[in-house]
Amino acid sequence: MRFAASSVLLLACLFSFVCSLSIGAVQVDFYDVWLALWSYDNTQLAQKIVIELRLPRAILAFLAGAGLATAGLILQTVTRNPLADPYLFGISSGASFGVVLLLTLFGIQSGLAMSGAALLGSICAMSLLLLIAYHKGTAQIENMLLAGVALSFLFNAFTSLLLYWSDPQAVSAIIFWSLGSFSRADWVWMWLPSIVVISGLVIVICFRRHLNALLLGDESAVTLGVNVHRLRLGMLLVSSLLTAVLVAACGGVGFVGLMIPHIVRFFISQARVLGMIVTALSGGLLMLWVDVLARTIIENQELPIGVITAAIGSVFFLSLLMFRKRTASI
């Protein structure tokens, strides 16, 4: 039954991927998509749109969803908090600060340069978080959470200060970037998120038994021979790198790492390899359709990705809250 459900999910991902290459401001039929993928002819406009514009965008959307869902799964496991989120530790705020700093000091608006600046800002936030965690003692998860919230506010304050002194055009570009978009997807640097997301998922699968031991509590995990402090910091590092690279590539996209692991947990155990793979595939599937909505919901305009994910996430958690209240009253 689980294998059949996973197969259906995989087919849904493949179908959605093809649909994302077909649907847009310029409609491309499935036959032209097929020709573009298997016998690309750069003289054909439809095939050029598919390969040069939509294919890297669809790959980035799928990687972003899979990576953020995996990062959320890691955080929810190591903190034993089902509502933990990859953006909780200030990584997104650090990335935004890096981009704002690049634009205000150098005026560079290149997509690759902005991604590099966002990555450096994310790494800075992640390093500060790890330093605080080591200094305060990694045994207390609350220290990590509080440090992440504090760093988020700190980087947001620095970003707001830089925005205050920036010109209006730079402010507009920064705000659009911070709301999330896959429009900067480019074959030149697509290797970076691909390697990081695939490696992150492989690491999680390899350490699944150690992560499952953490769910039993720190004392039980130590009894089973798990180095809790080292494992927690290592997984935090993996989650932070996933978030950093994806924020650098597509800006701020919230609620995915919070919502997808929570939904998958209702249907399948995430303690197994299959559950982890399903979580990643579900995140990618969601982001493929979010990207399609962003490109088509308003004619001749692109809606920021973060707006759609925030709306979906808000409705989901309000529905979950109402369901729990109704269940408790029965």
Side-chain angles (χ1 to χ4, degrees):
M1 183 64 181
R2 291 175 180 174
F3 179 77
S6 302
S7 301
V8 171
L9 177 61
L10 181 59
L11 291 175
C13 289
L14 293 175
F15 175 75
S16 300
F17 194 86
V18 174
C19 288
S20 68
L21 299 179
S22 174
I23 301 173
V26 177
Q27 295 291 332
V28 179
D29 57 45
F30 288 156
Y31 180 72
D32 287 332
V33 171
W34 176 267
L35 289 178
L37 293 175
W38 295 105
S39 57
Y40 175 54
D41 183 2
N42 59 5
T43 62
Q44 298 294 324
L45 178 60
Q47 296 186 29
K48 202 169 185 179
I49 291 174
V50 170
I51 297 299
E52 297 183 12
L53 297 179
R54 294 183 183 173
L55 184 57
R57 183 176 180 130
I59 293 175
L60 180 59
F62 186 85
L63 289 173
L68 291 175
T70 303
L73 174 61
I74 294 172
L75 286 179
Q76 291 175 17
T77 301
V78 299
T79 62
R80 295 192 295 275
N81 184 352
L83 298 180
D85 180 68
Y87 291 83
L88 186 65
F89 296 109
I91 308 301
S92 179
S93 300
S96 298
F97 175 72
V99 172
V100 173
L101 194 63
L102 176 72
L103 292 175
T104 54
L105 293 184
F106 303 102
I108 300 175
Q109 297 190 19
S110 167
L112 187 58
M114 289 175 64
S115 298
L119 180 58
L120 290 176
S122 301
I123 292 175
C124 178
M126 178 186 61
S127 301
L128 287 174
L129 179 64
L130 292 176
L131 286 174
I132 295 173
Y134 270 113
H135 178 69
K136 293 294 183 180
T138 57
Q140 298 181 3
I141 300 175
E142 293 79 6
N143 286 338
M144 293 186 189
L145 299 177
L146 293 174
V149 173
L151 288 174
S152 180
F153 279 105
L154 179 64
F155 280 110
N156 282 333
F158 287 149
T159 301
S160 299
L161 181 63
L162 290 173
L163 285 175
Y164 180 77
W165 295 105
S166 301
D167 61 274
Q169 291 184 349
V171 172
S172 177
I174 293 166
I175 290 176
F176 182 79
W177 176 86
S178 65
L179 293 176
S181 174
F182 299 127
S183 59
R184 292 184 303 277
D186 195 338
W187 288 115
V188 174
W189 50 265
M190 191 62 65
W191 59 270
L192 179 59
S194 301
I195 292 175
V196 171
V197 171
I198 294 173
S199 300
L201 182 59
V202 170
I203 290 173
V204 171
I205 292 174
C206 291
F207 284 89
R208 65 187 183 280
R209 294 184 179 178
H210 300 77
L211 292 172
N212 293 338
L214 276 183
L215 294 175
L216 301 175
D218 289 1
E219 294 183 358
S220 299
V222 171
T223 304
L224 293 172
V226 177
N227 189 326
V228 174
H229 304 333
R230 185 179 299 175
L231 177 64
R232 182 168 286 127
L233 282 177
M235 289 297 106
L236 177 62
L237 179 63
V238 172
S239 178
S240 299
L241 284 174
L242 281 169
T243 308
V245 170
L246 294 173
V247 167
C250 54
V253 181
F255 278 100
V256 178
L258 180 63
M259 181 172 55
I260 293 299
H262 206 80
I263 294 175
V264 173
R265 197 176 292 115
F266 281 111
F267 302 99
I268 186 172
S269 172
Q270 295 169 328
R272 300 182 178 182
V273 175
L274 184 60
M276 296 174 177
I277 295 176
V278 167
T279 300
L281 290 177
S282 300
L285 178 64
L286 172 66
M287 292 309 297
L288 283 173
W289 285 107
V290 166
D291 182 45
V292 171
L293 282 176
R295 291 186 279 117
T296 58
I297 196 170
I298 300 178
E299 189 175 358
N300 298 325
Q301 291 186 23
E302 180 179 333
L303 197 64
I305 301 296
V307 173
I308 300 176
T309 57
I312 295 174
S314 300
V315 172
F316 168 74
F317 280 104
L318 286 174
S319 302
L320 182 63
L321 179 62
M322 297 300 296
F323 174 76
R324 286 188 173 181
K325 284 184 176 181
R326 185 177 302 174
T327 304
S329 62
I330 295 177

